[in-house]
């Protein structure tokens, strides 16, 4: 597609106005919004307010008067519509790894007669590590790979809606129904789908996700945990911290869980990180997710079309079957990515051989896709990646 046509698509883009709500450095095309989302313009002021007005002026009183104590629940309610959940069903806090642990452990206790955990060995490693750690701690569990395709004796199945490597997307309603029909509980990780499409985990038993990727909550922004209301009274929090207690400020010697979703809160919220997420949610309140998905499919399809067969595609070719990223395989993928970044096109690399390009529809346009593909083709055609300086690995790839 010609660049002029891309500019025309940008001019007609109903999401175009959102781009100016982000701080984006001049001269780069940022295709790593699937790893760390860009900075929303409102964030700095929101964090400043928390630091100066709330902490600085109200001191400890801010726990009551600035709503800090309730943040895990109030932000959970604000985030819920992004994953098809309702109020009182989501808590915000901790990291994705920790909420995965909470969700899978709670599911195991709800199915005490079953001793199998199904996990995907190709999932983001922390998800699988957490499952193996849990199985090791509690003893007597078999961790079975998804590829075995058997759920009939499983207690719980943990999967990511969108694969972090290839961007391949599971059919959430179909898989959830299949898993539950087999008598197992379903835990979805939506790290790579939330904010990139309409997510609906309402039929699942539990769901987890992070807020620093497409949601743009900021580096280290807290994770979230959805618990289906049918489990609120029975599911246990294996990390029974004081903020999940029925009466935290009674300081009782014994743990009594709160009756509602609060029982999944662990302890003191990360107030400054919560402020960053709060600012991002001000933006998400206004975002039409159906348009985000439509644009995401168009951007990723355009990139695939423009790159053609210059690289081996690792993502599904059909737009509906992938998330908002496109991945390619190349044995020199690391050096190619470094050469691209040197020329202002930022993607990332995942071992052993994947180049990843994430397209965040709120701030990436069609002309960006055109220019990124043109730069990639030039790096490949002229073999610019062969420069020695690109072979040395940085700590974060
Ligand atoms: C990004 C991501 C994580 C990150 O885990 P943290 O505990 O937040 O570091 C976990 N799982 C998946 C699938 C991810 O995409």
């Amino acid at each position: 597609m010609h660049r002029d046509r891309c500019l025309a698509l940008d001019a007609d883009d109903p999401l175009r106005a959102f781009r100016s709500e982000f701080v984006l450095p001049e001269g780069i095309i940022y295709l790593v919004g699937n790893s760390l989302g860009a900075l929303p313009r409102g964030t700095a002021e929101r964090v400043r307010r928390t630091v100066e007005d709330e902490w600085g002026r109200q001191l400890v009183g801010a726990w009551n008067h600035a709503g800090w104590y309730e943040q895990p629940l109030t932000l959970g309610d604000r985030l819920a519509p992004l994953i098809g959940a309702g109020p009182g069903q989501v808590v915000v806090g901790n990291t994705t790894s920790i909420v995965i642990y909470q969700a899978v452990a709670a599911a195991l206790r709800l199915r005490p007669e079953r001793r199998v955990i199904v996990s995907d060995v190709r999932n983001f490693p922390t998800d699988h590590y957490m499952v193996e750690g849990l199985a090791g701690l509690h003893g007597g569990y078999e961790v079975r790979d998804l590829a075995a395709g058997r759920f009939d004796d499983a207690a719980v199945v943990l999967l990511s809606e969108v694969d972090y490597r290839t961007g391949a997307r599971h059919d959430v309603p179909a898989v959830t129904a299949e898993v539950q029909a087999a008598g197992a509980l379903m835990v979805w990780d939506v790290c790579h789908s939330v904010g990139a499409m309409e997510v609906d985990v309402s039929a699942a038993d539990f769901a987890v996700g992070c807020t620093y990727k497409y949601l743009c909550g900021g580096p280290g922004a807290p994770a979230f945990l959805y618990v289906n209301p049918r489990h609120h009274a029975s599911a246990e929090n294996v990390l029974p911290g004081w903020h999940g207690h029925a009466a935290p400020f009674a300081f009782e010697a014994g743990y009594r869980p709160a009756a509602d979703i609060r029982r999944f809160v662990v302890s003191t919220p990360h107030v400054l990180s919560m402020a960053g997420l709060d600012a991002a949610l001000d933006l998400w309140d206004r975002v039409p997710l159906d348009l985000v998905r439509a644009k995401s499919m168009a951007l990723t399809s355009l990139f695939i079309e423009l790159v053609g067969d210059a690289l081996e595609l690792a993502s599904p070719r059909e737009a509906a079957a992938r998330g908002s990223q496109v991945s390619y395989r190349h044995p020199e993928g690391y050096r190619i990515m470094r050469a691209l970044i040197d020329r202002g096109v930022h993607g990332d690399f995942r071992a052993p051989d994947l180049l990843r390009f994430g397209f965040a529809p709120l701030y990436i346009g069609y002309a960006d896709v055109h220019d990124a593909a043109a730069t990639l083709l030039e790096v490949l055609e002229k073999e610019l990646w062969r420069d020695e300086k690109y072979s040395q690995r940085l700590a974060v790839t």
Side-chain angles (χ1 to χ4, degrees):
M1 189 186 289
H2 202 271
R3 192 167 198 278
D4 288 345
R5 174 84 189 110
C6 293
L7 289 171
L9 287 172
D10 281 333
D12 284 345
D13 175 8
L15 298 176
R16 183 181 169 80
F18 283 104
R19 188 181 177 110
S20 61
E21 301 201 31
F22 290 90
V23 178
L24 290 163
E26 282 296 315
I28 73 161
I29 301 176
Y30 188 68
L31 303 181
V32 208
N34 55 333
S35 180
L36 177 65
L39 169 63
R41 283 208 186 276
T43 301
E45 165 57 19
R46 179 69 187 81
V47 172
R48 186 210 60 76
R49 203 172 88 209
T50 298
V51 172
E52 294 182 3
D53 302 350
E54 298 173 6
W55 181 15
R57 298 214 175 96
Q58 302 179 37
L59 290 159
V60 76
W63 285 107
N64 283 317
H65 305 302
W68 290 357
Y69 174 67
E70 294 295 338
Q71 274 174 337
L73 306 187
T74 50
L75 288 182
D77 284 353
R78 294 196 67 192
L79 193 141
L82 297 171
I83 58 168
Q89 300 174 3
V90 179
V91 284
V92 168
N94 305 301
T95 67
T96 316
S97 304
I98 289 171
V99 294
I100 288 169
Y101 198 92
Q102 288 180 287
V104 176
L108 291 179
R109 293 201 174 177
L110 290 168
R111 286 284 179 279
E113 69 291 354
R114 293 191 174 201
R115 311 299 293 176
V116 174
I117 309 172
V118 175
S119 174
D120 180 354
V121 293
R122 290 159 309 170
N123 201 343
F124 194 95
T126 204
D127 295 49
H128 193 62
Y129 299 161
M130 283 291 165
V131 163
E132 298 215 301
L134 248 171
L137 181 66
H138 295 277
Y141 282 100
E142 174 197 340
V143 179
R144 181 185 298 153
D145 184 28
L146 173 69
R150 255 192 74 202
F151 306 136
D152 58 329
D153 56 351
V156 54
V157 178
L158 167 67
L159 295 175
S160 282
E161 176 169 18
V162 171
D163 185 291
Y164 81 107
R165 284 188 219 263
T166 63
R169 181 186 181 205
H170 280 295
D171 181 339
V172 166
V175 176
T176 304
E178 184 187 352
V179 164
Q180 291 172 342
L185 296 178
M186 184 73 228
V187 182
W188 283 108
D189 182 331
V190 298
C191 279
H192 278 274
S193 44
V194 67
M197 60 185 69
E198 293 166 287
V199 168
D200 186 354
V201 294
S202 58
D205 296 283
F206 299 86
V208 302
C210 61
T211 63
Y212 50 76
K213 292 174 181 160
Y214 293 102
L215 290 187
C216 303
F224 58 86
L225 171 63
Y226 160 79
V227 182
N228 191 304
R230 67 175 167 266
H231 300 310
H232 285 190
S234 51
E236 284 177 62
N237 182 356
V238 290
L239 301 175
W242 67 301
H243 282 216
H245 194 280
F249 287 87
F251 293 102
E252 293 170 8
Y255 183 78
R256 273 194 302 128
D260 56 9
I261 188 78
R262 173 171 278 287
R263 68 172 54 190
F264 284 95
V265 179
V266 178
S267 54
T268 308
H270 297 104
V271 173
L272 300 183
S273 296
M274 295 275 190
L277 175 58
D278 195 42
L281 290 172
D282 287 345
L283 216 147
W284 286 102
D285 280 347
R286 294 179 279 119
V287 173
L289 286 170
D290 54 341
L291 297 186
V292 167
R293 177 60 173 159
K295 183 177 172 190
S296 156
M297 293 198 290
L299 294 176
T300 51
S301 296
L302 175 61
F303 192 68
I304 290 172
E305 177 198 319
L306 292 173
V307 173
D309 51 15
L311 276 176
E312 180 193 342
L313 183 65
S315 299
R317 217 165 259 288
E318 193 203 334
R322 62 172 185 262
S324 205
Q325 75 179 57
V326 177
S327 307
Y328 292 97
R329 271 196 194 92
H330 193 288
E332 294 290 354
Y334 183 74
R335 294 167 74 178
I336 295 170
M337 189 51 79
R338 289 285 305 278
L340 259 181
I341 292 170
D342 229 11
R343 286 160 183 80
V345 178
H346 291 242
D348 69 6
F349 172 79
R350 285 292 174 264
D353 59 358
L354 279 184
L355 296 108
R356 295 196 309 179
F357 300 92
F359 298 85
L362 294 190
Y363 50 86
I364 295 298
Y366 295 88
D368 295 324
V369 172
H370 178 278
D371 296 348
T375 307
L376 174 59
L377 292 175
E378 189 193 2
V379 163
L380 292 169
E381 271 158 27
K382 298 190 181 155
E383 300 198 350
L384 300 173
W385 53 268
R386 287 199 187 272
D387 193 319
E388 253 326 287
K389 68 182 176 191
Y390 300 134
S391 53
Q392 202 194 350
R393 294 266 171 128
L394 302 174
V396 175
T397 60

